[in-house]
Amino acid sequence: MRTIVNGLEWLVEQMGGLARFCVLALVLMVATNVILRYLFSIGPVSLQELEWHLVSPIALLGLSYSMKHRADVRIDFLYERFSVRLRALVDLLSSLLTVAIGGIIAWLSIFYVIQSYNLNEGSPDPGGLAFRYLLKAFIPLGFGLLLLQGVADCFRALIQLRNPDNAMPVAAQLTAEEPV
C-alpha cells in the first residue's frame, strides 16, 4: 500500500509542478500584456485569453497538490485534540468523500470535453484562441488527480488505523512560515 501511495503522490507532485510553472507563465503573460497595452497601444485578444487559460491548470492541478501538502481547509483546533485512531477515521471518511466528488465531477466533465472537441469549439471573439476543448480537458484531469490524491489519503488513513504507531508521514505542509 505504501508503494501505491508514493506512486500516486509522485504523479500529483509532478502535476503540481506544472501548476507552479503556469503561475510563472501567467505572471510573465500579464506583465507582457500590460507593457504591450500601455507602452505600445497593442492589446491582442489572444494574449488576454491566454491569461485566463493559464488560470485553469493553476486551479485544477493545484487542487490535488494543495491536498497532498495539507494546504486545504481543515478545522485543526478540533482535529489536533483527537486520538490517533479518531484522526485516521476522520481522514478516511474525508478521503472517501474526496474520491466520490473527484470521481463524479471527472466522469461528468468528460462528456463536456468530448462535446467541445466534436464542435471544434474555439473562442467566440475575433482573434481569440482556438481549441477550447484543450482548456476544458483540465476539468476531468484536475478532478481525476483529486480522486487519485483521495485514494492515496484513504490508503494512508487505513495504514494509520491498522498500526497507529507506524504511520506514513504526510508531505511537508506548504507554508510561508519559517520552521521552528
Side-chain angles (χ1 to χ4, degrees):
M1 256 200 273
R2 290 175 189 266
T3 306
I4 294 170
V5 171
N6 291 334
L8 293 174
E9 289 190 338
W10 176 84
L11 179 62
V12 168
E13 188 71 32
Q14 300 310 306
M15 292 296 108
L18 179 59
R20 288 191 313 267
F21 174 77
C22 288
V23 170
L24 175 63
L26 179 61
V27 169
L28 295 173
M29 186 65 55
V30 169
T32 301
N33 205 5
V34 168
I35 290 169
L36 287 175
R37 187 177 307 142
Y38 292 108
L39 292 182
F40 301 105
S41 298
I42 300 171
V45 172
S46 57
L47 282 182
Q48 292 172 3
E49 285 189 4
L50 187 55
E51 290 174 10
W52 286 104
H53 283 43
L54 288 172
V55 171
S56 179
I58 292 168
L60 292 167
L61 300 180
L63 186 63
S64 59
Y65 181 77
S66 66
M67 283 196 61
K68 175 185 183 290
H69 289 280
R70 299 295 184 251
D72 52 330
V73 176
R74 296 173 16 155
I75 305 174
D76 285 337
F77 76 95
L78 293 175
Y79 182 82
E80 294 301 322
R81 295 180 184 176
F82 294 161
S83 68
V84 174
R85 286 194 185 270
L86 184 55
R87 273 188 261 168
L89 186 61
V90 168
D91 288 343
L92 179 61
L93 292 175
S94 62
S95 298
L96 289 172
L97 287 172
T98 300
V99 167
I101 290 169
I104 290 168
I105 295 175
W107 174 254
L108 292 175
S109 65
I110 288 171
F111 301 107
Y112 179 65
V113 176
I114 290 171
Q115 180 184 24
S116 179
Y117 175 79
N118 288 336
L119 294 172
N120 197 20
E121 185 178 9
S123 173
D125 298 322
L129 297 175
F131 311 119
R132 182 137 314 163
Y133 58 87
L134 293 174
L135 173 68
K136 291 180 178 183
F138 280 104
I139 299 170
L141 176 62
F143 282 98
L145 287 171
L146 183 67
L147 179 147
L148 293 177
Q149 183 59 45
V151 169
D153 288 344
C154 282
F155 286 150
R156 178 177 282 110
L158 287 171
I159 291 168
Q160 182 84 30
L161 277 171
R162 288 175 58 198
N163 190 356
D165 299 328
N166 189 19
M168 283 189 75
V170 177
Q173 291 186 349
L174 296 175
T175 180
E177 300 172 7
E178 291 295 319
V180 179

